[in-house]
Amino acid sequence: MATAEVEKFRGRYAALSVAAVVIMVGIPLWWKTTETYRAWLPYSQIRELDSLQLQLSMEVEVVFSRGTLTPEQQKKVPLSQIREEQHQVNENTRLKYRYETKYRTATVMEEDALGQPSTEDADLSLHRLSESPCGSVVMYVIPQSSTLLPEGVKVYVGQRRTALLRGWEALGGTLKEVLAVLEPQVEQVLRTMSFSHSDITAALGDRIRGSRLSRESLADSMRAFKSSPGYEITFSLLNPDPQSHSLHWDIEGAVQTYIQPLLDKLAPVANHSVDSQILYYAVLGVKPRFNRELSAYTLSAESLAHVINPIEAKLGSNAASSNPVLNFLLYVPDAHHAPLLIQDQGKREVPSNAFHSPRWGGIMVYNVKDQYGPEAEVPVYINIDMARVMGVFLSQLRLMLGVQPTHLAPGFLLQSPGSAGLTDWELDRLQWTRSVENVAMASTTITSLAQLLNQIGNIVINDNIAQQVSSAVTSLQAAVAELEAGNLAFALQYSREAILASERAFFDPSLLHLLYFPDDQKFAIYIPLFLPMCVPILLSLLKMLGEIRRSRAERRAKKD
Amino acid sequence: TWSWLALSRSALDSLFLCVSHFGSVSLCLCLGKAGQFFSSGHTNNWAVLVCTSRFWFNYRHVANTLSVYRSVKRLGIPDSHIVLMLADDMACNHRNPKPATVFSHKNMELNVYGDDVEVDYRGYEVTVENFLRVLTGRLPPSTPRSKRLLSDDRSNVLIYLTGHGGNGFLKFQDSEEISNVELADAFEQMWQKRRYNEVLFIIDTCQGASMYERFYSPNLLALASSQVGEDSLSHQPDLAIGVHLMDRYTFYLLEFLEDIHPASQANMKDLFKVCPKSQCVSTPGHRTDLFQRDPGSVLITDFFGSVRKVEITMESVNLTSPIVLVPHPPTSIFLQKPKQRDWHPPDGFILGLWTLIILIFFKTYGIKHLKHIF
C-alpha cells in the first residue's frame, strides 16, 4: 500500500542519510579531533644535512726573508696557490680541505723584526706589524745560517699565529722546485698549528662511531671533554689535618691572575664558571707506603686509580646546572704521612707531584713538611704558593679542554703560552675542532630527532620545537657556509647556536607523551564506542541491499 | 732476597712499561695491565636502580634494589652518579618492626638501608614517565642534578629493575606498565644521543627475559632472572618481620658481589653463572648478541664499580706574573635587633570592619544585647 511504500522509502532514506552523515561528517571529525598536533618540520632540509659535506678553507702565508731565494726566483714571487684535499670518511660524510697559500717576500720592517736577537722579541715585533685573522697561519722562512733559531730546531712556533721555519741557503733551480721542497715542511707546520686530518676525524667521532681509531687518538678523545655549552671548574683544597696545618690559599687572586685570562680567551668556545671549596678531614682512600730510601711516603701508580672515588663522594658541586664539571684538588698531606710523593710506572718521582683522570679533573699533592721544623707551634700557618699550584692545574686544565698539543714532530719548538695561558694558534686549533664537532653533533641530533618523530606518529610536535628545529637547521647551514668561506669565528658562533637549538629541541620535556599504544588497547577503547552505533546502520544497509537484490530478481523474472 | 724481589719487581715494571709505551712525547699512561686502558673505552660509571612496587608485602623488591645500591656504592660509584628510585618506603613503614632498617638476610644479619642512603625518586615519583624521562634526558629544566642521568658517550650505565612483571611488561606502582617496546625505544634514543658507551641491564621480575627481547640498539648486555613463562621466586621469609626479604636471583647476586672488590678481575661469564636453576628454580637468561665485546673480557667492575683511569701529569706551565690582589669588600656582619615598633591605634580599615561586624550583630539579634557591652 502507499503508506507502507512511503514508510519503506522514508526508512531507506533515513538509513542512507545516517550512513552518509557518519561517513562524510563523523569520520573526518573524529579523525581531526583525535590527531596529534604536529607542527611542520623541514624534513627535506634535514635529510640533506644527513649527508654532511664539510669544506674547511684556510689561508696560509709563506714569507721568504732575505737570503732564502735567488733573485730570479724572487721575481716570480708574489704567487698564490690553492691546494685541495678530499677525504671520504664514511658513506655520508665527506671532507674537503682547501689551503690557499700566498707566497711573498718579506718587507723591510719584517726583515728588521727578524733581525732581533731573541725569538720571543722577533715574534712580538712581527705580531705588532700585522695582525693575522683568526684561523690563518703565517710562516717566515729564514736562511739556514741565521742565528735566530737555536741549534737543532727546525721550526719555532710563536705565541700568535706565526712560525719561523729554518730554510736553506739560496738554492738554484726554478721557483717551482723550491716550493716543492718546501711543501712537506709547510704541511707539517700546518698539522701542528692548525687542524690535521686525524683531529678532524676524531672530532667527527659522533658520526663515524665504530671505526677503529689509533691508540693515541682514542686516548685523546677519551681524555678531553666533548663540546658542551659550558663547563664548571671547581678548585678544592683538602686539609686532612687541620690541627697541624692552618692552610691559607689566595684562590680568588690566583684564579683572577692565572686562570681567568685563559677562560676569557676561551669565551667564544664555551662559558666557564669557577668556584672553590675547602674540605676538612678529607682523607685519601689509599694508604701510602713509607719508602726508606726517599724517607718519604709514596703513592704508587696503581693505587692512584682508587684515590678519586672516596674523595668524590664528599665533593660538593653546583646543583643548578647540568654542565660537565672539572675538579681540581689540592691535597696537603697530614703531618704523620708527610712528605707524600707520587711515583710513576717506573718508580720515578714525578716533578709536578700531580695526576689527572680523563674527563674528571686533576689532583696535586702539596708537601709542606719542609716549611716548618718539629718545634713549630701547631697549628702551623702555611701560605700556599699559588703560582706553582696553578702552573700544574693550568696544564691539567689545558689537557682536559683539549688544548694541549700532544704529538710534536722532532725539531719543533713551541713558545710557552705566557700569561694568557693559551696561544692564538692553540685557540684556532680548538675552534676548528670544536666547530666541526658541533656541526657533526648538531646534524646527528637533528636527523635522529626527525627520524624519531617520523617513526612514532603519536608524539605531539609543538610550535616551539618546530621553531627550535628550524633555527638549528638554518644555523647549521650558516656554519657550514662560513667554514667553507674560511671565517672561523663566525663558523664557531653559528655552530654553537646550532647545537644549543638542536639540544633544546631534542631534550624538550614535551616529546614524551603518547609514546606507545599497543593495538589491542586501541581496539579495547574504540569498539565499545563505535560498535553499538555502527551495528544498526550496517544492518539496515544490508537489509536495503537485500531488498534491492530481491526486486531486481523479481524484475528479471517478470521480464522473462 | 729483598734485593732479588726488588730486581724482579723492577724487571716486571719495565716489562709493563715496554708493552705500554707507545712513543708519545709528553704522556705516561698508567696501566695496571697492558691494554686495560683501551679495552673498555669508558671513563665514568652510572647506575639507575629502580624498584617499582609498593605495599608492605613487596618488601623484597625494595631490599633487592637497596642491596644492589649498596654493592655499587661499596665498589666506588658515588651517589652523584647513582639514580635510585624506590616506589615505597619500607624502612619507615608503620608495619616495620625494626624501623629505619631494611634487611636482606633472615635473622636480620645484613641491614642494607644503612645511614647514608640517597633516594632520588621516592614514592609516587617513581612512574613510567619519570623513568623514561631519566633515561632519555627529557627532564624539565628545573630538575636538580641529583635527579638526572648526566651520562656521556664514555659512560657505562648499569640499569637494574625489579618488581612484578609479565610477558613483555613491567608493572609500576600497581597502576601502570612499561612495555618492552617502550624500553627498547628509550635505549635507542639514548644511543642516538650517545648517552652511553655500554649498558648492563639486569631485571629481576617474573618472565624477565621478555623485557630484553625487543632491544635493538648496540652495546647492550642484558640479564634476567627468569625466562618467559617462568616466575621469579622469593628467597626466604623472616618470621619477625613477616614478609619475604629478598628474591632468589638478587640474593645470590648480592652474595656474588660481596666477593668483588675494586681491583677484582672477575668477568661477566662469572655473572652469567650466578643463581643456576638448582638454586633459583627459575632459569636466568642473558642476551649478548648486541654487545660488541666478548663477555669474558668484560670486568664486573666495568659496570658495578668505578675504577678511574689516571695519567700522571708530566708538564706544568711556568707562571711568573705576580698575583693580582682582588679587593675584598669589607665584610660587615649585621646583627639585627628586633625592631621596636611603636603602638599605633588601629587604622581606618580595621575600625570600619569591626563596626560593620558589630552593627550586623546587633541588627540581627536586637539592640537589647548592647547592654552586655557597655
Side-chain angles (χ1 to χ4, degrees), chain A residues 289 300-302 343-348, chain B residues 5-21 31-32:
Chain A
R289 278 181 305 193
S300 65
E302 291 83 27
Q343 286 182 332
D344 66 2
Q345 204 61 22
K347 297 286 182 228
R348 289 183 297 262
Chain B
L5 276 171
L7 243 165
S8 66
R9 186 83 196 279
S10 63
L12 220 63
D13 279 339
S14 59
L15 180 68
F16 278 151
L17 199 60
C18 289
V19 171
S20 61
H21 187 68
L31 292 173

Side-chain angles (χ1 to χ4, degrees), chain A residues 241-281:
Chain A
D241 198 4
Q243 295 132 317
S244 317
H245 305 133
S246 161
L247 297 173
H248 180 76
W249 71 341
D250 180 20
I251 185 68
E252 258 184 275
V255 164
Q256 201 66 19
T257 319
Y258 303 123
I259 306 286
Q260 200 58 39
L262 170 67
L263 299 181
D264 289 338
K265 208 156 176 186
L266 284 174
V269 177
N271 299 325
H272 302 269
S273 82
V274 183
D275 43 40
S276 68
Q277 60 180 328
I278 303 182
L279 276 166
Y280 294 105
Y281 295 107

Side-chain angles (χ1 to χ4, degrees), chain A residues 309 312 352 404 503 506, chain B residues 138 193 306 308 313 315:
Chain A
N309 284 323
E312 192 182 0
S352 61
Q404 186 93 341
E503 299 265 317
F506 194 90
Chain B
R138 296 206 171 97
K193 232 10 208 116
S306 175
R308 300 280 184 172
T313 310
E315 298 181 348

